[in-house]
Amino acid sequence: MGNKYKKYYFLLFMLLHHLFGFWGTSAWGQHTFKEKTEEISGHVCDKDGEKLPGAIVTWWKDGKIREQTLSDENGRFILSATPQETAGSFLSIRFLGYTEKKIYLSAGKRNYIARLTENSEQLGEVVVTGFINRPKHSYTGSMSSISKEQLQKQVQTNLIKTLKQEIPGFELTEDIVSGSDPNKIPDMILRGRSTFAEGDRTYVPLFVLDGVEVDVTTIFNLRAELIEQVTVLKDAAATSFYGAKAANGVVVVTTVPPKEGKIQTDYTANLQLSVPDLSGYRLLSAGEKLEYEKLAGIYGSFSGKDKTDIERQKSYFSKLNRVTAGVDTKWMNLPLRTGVNHSHTLAFTGGTRQIRYNLTGGYNEITGIMQHSSRQSGTLRVHLSYGNMDKLLVQYITWFTFSQQNDVPYGSFRDYTALNPYDSPYLPDGSLNRILSFNKANPLYEKSLNSYIRRSSSQFAATLRVRSCLSPQWRVEGMCSLLYDKGGSVSFYSPLSARFVFNEASKRGSFDVSDTRQYDYQGNIFVVYNTRFGQNSAHTALFTAGGNIQASGSDTHGFSAVGVLSDKIDHESLASGYAEGAHPLGGRGESRLLGMYLSASYVFDNRYFAEGSFRYEGSSKFGTDNKFAPFGSLSAGWNVHKEKFMRSIPLGLLKLRISAGYVGNTGFTPYQARLAYRYHGRYVYNNQVGAMPLGMFNPGLKWERTLKYNAGFDFSLFDDRLSGSFDCYDNITGNLVVTMAKPPHLGFKEAKENLGKIRNTGIELSLRGRIYSGNNGGINAYISAAHNRNRIIQISDYLKNKNKQAEEKGNSRLPAYLYEEGESMTALKVFESAGINPANGKEVFIRHNGEYTYRHDYRDKRTVGDTAPVLSGTIGLTWTWKRLSASASFIYRLGATLYNQTLATKVEGSDPMENADLRVFHERWKHPGDKAKYKHIGVREYTPPTSRFVKKEYALEGNSFTVSYVFPPMFARCLRVRHVQASLSTGNFLYLSTIKRERGLDYPFNRIYQFALTINI
């Protein structure tokens, strides 16, 4: 920054320090500012020689602070000590964002230069668990972490996608239906599926933000600029603090903490262009589509002379005239646009050694590539910190977030891909062509109406954390938090919409309204005792005891209204009445949880370490006979590189780890085991309103518990040129809560019981390497790989019967997941096919006894593979040269057995009245003797799930490519700022797969182009 502004900032900082008592007497010494010329002086600068004004310079002697001062606007500092007094003492120099530097003083030397280096990983030496942080060198749990620098190298979409890129074993279920819908939170899995519990987001890990358990939506809206580190805890040893809720793993997110020093202002802006990616679609042109209709027999044989045949021929030639005239409408492009997305983050941080603060605000706006879809979110966060880790530390964090989203109200993208290209969307006079071929409605008409789908949410959270060191051995830590979430949605469909065409006029148009309020109170307290003993303090022991309490609840309301007089009306109060037979909707749920925790760990000579933990927890969600359940873990580790016999081997790290333990799952609705009633106006007897039980009372319902085994090692070779980790695991989940059929005389068809068991085994590998390093830059690479095998050990008779009923009725074109013992939860079952008979274009099936037949029987289905990949992971490369850097990251999936939905619905299962994939025209059977992949082109019957549409997928996705440049200090000084960095990125830039299918059925996928600018003032 310019000298003029440096002076003002410096004076302001001096004033703040004076107000905070920085220059008065404190617990750590006397501090006086001397105006006269002193004996010892120096300069503080960064590695490039850039002056650092406001650095804190502390003179330590005999274990006490003798004097403390600040570097001035030129980075210069002066101490009152003489060179003779400084012998045997040292200076500590600290500055925001830089590693603390110690300079040992020597007698006779008067001037010193302190060159500070940026501190990029302040949390690098500890494992952040969300409760009590643990030293990384003796940590026995399985975990993966993402630093702030890793986050900055990714194209900024959302944190969930970054987890997929950086964490081995963390999967996002590929969603070819929702594509890049900005309002769709993806389904995620960590180390396999572990429950039969019904509902959305069944396998979502537990998310913890700054010590507070939050919903995945909060993490989805969180900007990367706010995050300091993300830690994913995987095994029982790592998740022991969360025993009852850790079956699906724990994701701990730590936001940027306040840092001492002068006031610093950071601003980051991102501008994105979101471009539709339609590369998965290969539809027929107008001429090809008309010829397909002709071959499919829609227009008859062209030899008939009755009225029907003549009308068909007229229709054909009318369309042929349009094709000849050049009509070839690209319907897919009409609802799409190039989205312009932008985000902004502004942060202020600073303070003294005793009092530090961080104030951050952010705003993000995403414009969806389908018109009318969008998402806006904002965050305001305050973080105050008092004291230090050695005595008393008090932290207060509060944040407020909001989000608003608009979804597509006029149909899905597949409505456009199904339209015929020889139809024009507009009439010659420019008005909409309301009715298209085959009496199909023009979706552009629906798009022109004022229908909307709007959702909003706001969230407030406050956390108070206190850490008090009573003595060098004893400390107490406690935390309490409040989380309040309010959300709502309103859907309006215009009375002019085609969905009401058969309704009477007074019941056209509708409103659907709902709102939700949720709260969560949490509190915990821990007492920690640590001690060193033995010769040279070789033995270290740590004991922790504590407890936690949690209360949460939700309250929802909603209703449906019909009868809207005008397309312009946009408020539900103007509807004429409630929907016929409708009643107010909603519900209330409350749950309580109480837990107690004990753990002990032991470390010998920093080589051998062991840990044991025990948690006893109770929840109101379970039966009265089984409210409480025990959880615990045992783990051990060995720092092999510390052994004497390893000194001649170029190993910087070799740590072996092993663990076993129980964790639980409480991701259920509150009243599955309790007796509850619903009152209704239909239940009236003797002028009294009656009630009906909602479910069968089960006081014996138990907790789902997962027994987790994990073994692994971390290593570093050749001066950290190659580093990584390897883990193998075996997780068995028992007491699964499943639905059981009940005898009719009980009055309930089904109830919840504990009967079921699932096993997940797998391996995870992560490697990082420095390919080249030099004075001006280097090249680094990383690769990760994960494999998971899922097996159902036991299920209930009810699920078996449901599978059988579904198969007997089976008339679906797509295979359904069937839960069977010994199989995976994602096993793919289809009929085995011998191909298409060249003589007649029919499919030939192979029965279980090897017999060939044209008929299929559900009992002949066989497992052909698993939809989960055999191996998945990421590949990345980073390159730096002076101030220029570039990075690229890729995601790969190998060996998944998938069913090609496009073949089942747009090729062989296509409707000749709708547009279809090119293969319907070029690869279906047409004449006797044709050796074709697909059935007779004129056959419209559905094809049952067949092995002909099954294929192994080997896929590679280009996730992110970024080029960034840090401007020279001279340029920054011209702008009167400290630091300027700009970057250009592209996301979702590549997709290669062995399976050719349509992707983005209801909402297309996109490609992202991003420009980012970071300014530090």
Side-chain angles (χ1 to χ4, degrees), residues 76-151:
R76 187 168 182 262
F77 65 88
I78 300 173
L79 297 172
S80 60
T82 63
Q84 291 74 24
E85 290 179 305
T86 59
S89 61
F90 67 89
L91 298 180
S92 168
I93 299 97
R94 302 191 309 277
F95 188 74
L96 176 67
Y98 291 79
T99 301
E100 180 181 359
K101 187 176 184 66
K102 291 183 179 180
I103 298 178
Y104 289 89
L105 306 179
S106 57
K109 189 172 181 178
R110 302 175 62 88
N111 191 50
Y112 296 86
I113 297 178
R115 295 184 182 273
L116 305 187
T117 57
E118 291 188 58
N119 186 357
S120 60
E121 293 194 21
Q122 298 179 5
L123 300 176
E125 298 304 317
V126 299
V127 177
V128 180
T129 68
F131 275 78
I132 297 178
N133 297 340
R134 308 301 299 273
K136 181 176 287 186
H137 66 84
S138 61
Y139 189 67
T140 57
S142 175
M143 49 75 64
S144 298
S145 62
I146 308 173
S147 67
K148 186 175 183 179
E149 285 68 32
Q150 289 173 277
L151 289 170

Side-chain angles (χ1 to χ4, degrees), residues 653-655 657 713-717 720-727 764-769 783:
L653 170 69
L654 179 58
K655 180 172 70 173
R657 300 174 278 102
F713 61 87
D714 309 308
F715 70 93
S716 173
L717 294 167
D720 207 29
R721 284 188 173 273
L722 178 63
S723 61
S725 64
F726 174 83
D727 283 274
E764 296 170 355
L765 174 67
S766 178
L767 296 175
R768 292 184 178 271
I783 184 171

Side-chain angles (χ1 to χ4, degrees), residues 40-60:
I40 296 298
S41 62
H43 287 83
V44 183
C45 60
D46 63 14
K47 63 180 181 180
D48 298 318
E50 181 69 13
K51 301 168 185 176
L52 298 177
I56 301 173
V57 182
T58 308
W59 173 30
W60 290 83

Side-chain angles (χ1 to χ4, degrees), residues 442-462:
N442 187 344
L444 290 182
Y445 174 72
E446 291 286 332
K447 184 171 167 291
S448 69
L449 302 176
N450 285 327
S451 302
Y452 59 80
I453 303 174
R454 297 172 184 167
R455 295 183 177 89
S456 64
S457 67
S458 58
Q459 192 173 72
F460 172 80

Side-chain angles (χ1 to χ4, degrees), residues 934-950:
Y934 311 114
K935 288 181 182 179
H936 191 309
I937 196 169
V939 173
R940 303 189 193 182
E941 65 184 13
Y942 86 95
T943 299
T946 172
S947 61
R948 288 186 299 117
F949 300 160
V950 173

Side-chain angles (χ1 to χ4, degrees), residues 621-638:
K621 291 184 178 182
F622 297 94
T624 54
D625 296 342
N626 293 287
K627 282 188 177 295
F628 285 84
F631 305 93
S633 68
L634 293 173
S635 57
W638 178 22

Side-chain angles (χ1 to χ4, degrees), residues 643-674:
E643 300 291 346
K644 294 181 180 180
F645 62 81
M646 297 295 291
R647 292 178 179 176
S648 61
I649 301 176
L651 267 175
L653 170 69
L654 179 58
K655 180 172 70 173
L656 307 183
R657 300 174 278 102
I658 187 170
S659 68
Y662 277 102
V663 292
N665 182 15
T666 59
F668 309 102
T669 55
Y671 303 121
Q672 294 190 92
R674 303 183 66 179

Side-chain angles (χ1 to χ4, degrees), residues 683-699:
Y683 311 143
V684 177
Y685 178 76
N686 196 25
N687 294 324
Q688 299 294 319
V689 178
M692 179 71 71
L694 291 177
M696 186 172 177
F697 177 50
N698 182 3

